[in-house]
Amino acid sequence: MRTTIPTGALALAAASTLAIAATVNIVQERATEGTAGCGVSHIFPGLTQYYSLQSSGVDRSYSVHIPSNYNDTAPYPVVLGFHGSSEIGFFFEADTGLSESKYSADKIMVYPNGLGGAWAGANYSEATVPEDLQFVSDLLDAVRAGWCIDNSRIYATGMSIGGGFVNTIACSAVGGEFAAFAASSGSFYTDATGPDDGCTPARSPLPMLEIHGGADTDVHYEGGPGEGGIEPAIPDWLGWWAERNSCGTNTSETLFNGDVQHYTWECSGVADLLQHWKVDDMKHCWASTTLDFFRNRGRSGPHTH
Ligand SMILES: *[C@@H]1O[C@H](CO)[C@@H](O)[C@H](O)[C@H]1NC(C)=O
Ligand SMILES: *[C@@H]1O[C@H](CO)[C@@H](O)[C@H](O)[C@H]1NC(C)=O
Ligand SMILES: *[C@@H]1O[C@H](CO)[C@@H](O)[C@H](O)[C@H]1NC(C)=O
């Protein structure tokens, strides 16, 4: 009998940041110069701290994790990690382990909190798409002002509706500020019906990676009505990115005794610019080789998107 936990699956993709890190080399080389936050010192590096800002007239919050040996004059890559629904950034941080030094010894992690525990795009979201995109823009301003950031290495990752919102960012003007995107088990409410469904990326090609469980009973691989609206079939959604990014046809390799298919596309002459990991027996969770809270919640919790 097959286990429902994909043993060994995606050690390589245990954290999307690892995978996006692999795309760093395909991002155009730009001169590395730090932001206004270079020179700002921080106490208690290594401990996640909580911050707030005003955006569209409301209080928004986020937390930041910097390496314990943070050098305030060295420009760091930054990863924004967007939590799933009925969640906060703190849980996403704990579930994914992304603040652990094996993932982020050399980068700054930022965990924004959604209004009402969600991100824009679902029919139950509190914030509108323009409001949440404005928050992303205001958040980037705050992060650049407060920490030493390498502007050419800003990334976004997220789980479920947070993954869907990563795609909403990629489809928007502020997406042009990011080097690459990675969504896990994404519910792509704002990009559900075709290549032009409200998706106007700021540049092309735009590096994108998605990881999805073939046994996801919350955000179905085959698409259809989800909890917050219609979701696309994942191969269709990938096809739209292949079109936007001027990619060729996919090539695939089978891994982990047939449980994992890794699809890659060459786009505008850049190898592996678009990537997809399908884990056949994985449900709605963050791909990992160790047991995490997402698995428990993903099986039994009411709001796991
Ligand atoms: C801090 O970063 C600056 C700029 O990259 C570098 O010149 C300096 O050597 C670093 N300091 C330490 C202690 O690593
Ligand atoms: C949201 O969309 C889903 C799927 O289309 C639907 O089943 C649900 O009733 C909708 N909920 C609201 C509050 O509109
Ligand atoms: C890969 O390409 C094949 C052949 O064109 C297509 O049928 C399939 O849907 C693609 N797979 C994904 C995950 O996009």
Side-chain angles (χ1 to χ4, degrees):
M1 197 183 109
R2 279 172 85 125
T3 164
T4 51
I5 297 172
T7 39
L10 297 193
L12 47 159
S16 301
T17 47
L18 284 187
I20 17 188
T23 66
V24 168
N25 60 345
I26 57 175
V27 173
Q28 271 186 343
E29 287 279 338
R30 274 188 260 165
T32 293
E33 52 184 66
T35 57
C38 296
V40 176
S41 62
H42 290 275
I43 52 168
F44 307 126
L47 290 181
T48 303
Q49 301 198 42
Y50 192 79
Y51 300 87
S52 61
L53 55 75
Q54 283 265 317
S55 183
S56 303
V58 299
D59 290 328
R60 303 296 304 251
S61 63
Y62 60 101
S63 45
V64 177
H65 179 274
I66 59 177
S68 48
N69 63 349
Y70 181 67
N71 174 346
D72 66 32
T73 60
Y76 282 81
V78 61
V79 179
L80 272 50
F82 293 88
H83 60 73
S85 79
S86 298
E87 289 256 341
I88 54 173
F90 175 76
F91 292 145
F92 178 84
E93 177 186 22
D95 290 345
T96 61
L98 284 175
S99 291
E100 290 170 21
S101 61
K102 64 179 169 181
Y103 299 127
S104 59
D106 56 354
K107 59 179 74 69
I108 295 175
M109 288 300 311
V110 177
Y111 304 99
N113 295 310
L115 287 185
W119 300 102
N123 58 18
Y124 58 81
S125 304
E126 254 179 47
T128 64
V129 168
E131 284 166 353
D132 264 352
L133 290 174
Q134 184 61 46
F135 173 46
V136 171
S137 177
D138 294 339
L139 178 60
L140 288 179
D141 288 348
V143 168
R144 286 179 175 125
W147 292 267
C148 194
I149 304 300
D150 178 349
N151 267 325
S152 68
R153 293 192 293 164
I154 297 176
Y155 306 93
T157 189
M159 168 72 195
S160 193
I161 196 173
F165 186 59
V166 161
N167 183 68
T168 305
I169 297 170
C171 287
S172 77
V174 74
E177 310 280 318
F178 292 77
F181 301 86
S184 174
S185 316
S187 45
F188 304 114
Y189 298 122
T190 64
D191 188 16
T193 60
D196 303 318
D197 177 22
C199 187
T200 42
R203 66 173 197 276
S204 176
L206 204 56
M208 175 64 76
L209 178 152
E210 208 263 353
I211 303 171
H212 215 105
D216 190 331
T217 51
D218 294 293
V219 182
H220 296 98
Y221 196 84
E222 300 75 22
E227 189 182 353
I230 301 299
E231 293 154 350
I234 299 305
D236 291 348
W237 176 85
L238 289 162
W240 305 332
W241 274 110
E243 190 177 324
R244 292 170 195 138
N245 280 337
S246 304
C247 310
T249 54
N250 68 63
T251 53
S252 68
E253 55 179 337
T254 300
L255 302 161
F256 297 102
N257 298 321
D259 190 41
V260 176
Q261 276 85 47
H262 179 207
Y263 296 90
T264 58
W265 286 255
E266 178 177 318
C267 312
S268 308
V270 185
D272 302 339
L273 187 119
L274 177 62
Q275 296 192 38
H276 172 58
W277 300 85
K278 182 185 182 196
V279 185
D280 285 341
D281 63 7
M282 188 173 82
K283 295 193 173 183
H284 193 63
C285 63
W286 185 260
S288 171
T289 51
T290 54
L291 199 65
D292 61 37
F293 294 118
F294 268 130
R295 293 184 195 290
N296 301 331
R297 287 207 282 268
R299 287 217 184 91
S300 55
H303 268 280
T304 50
H305 302 231

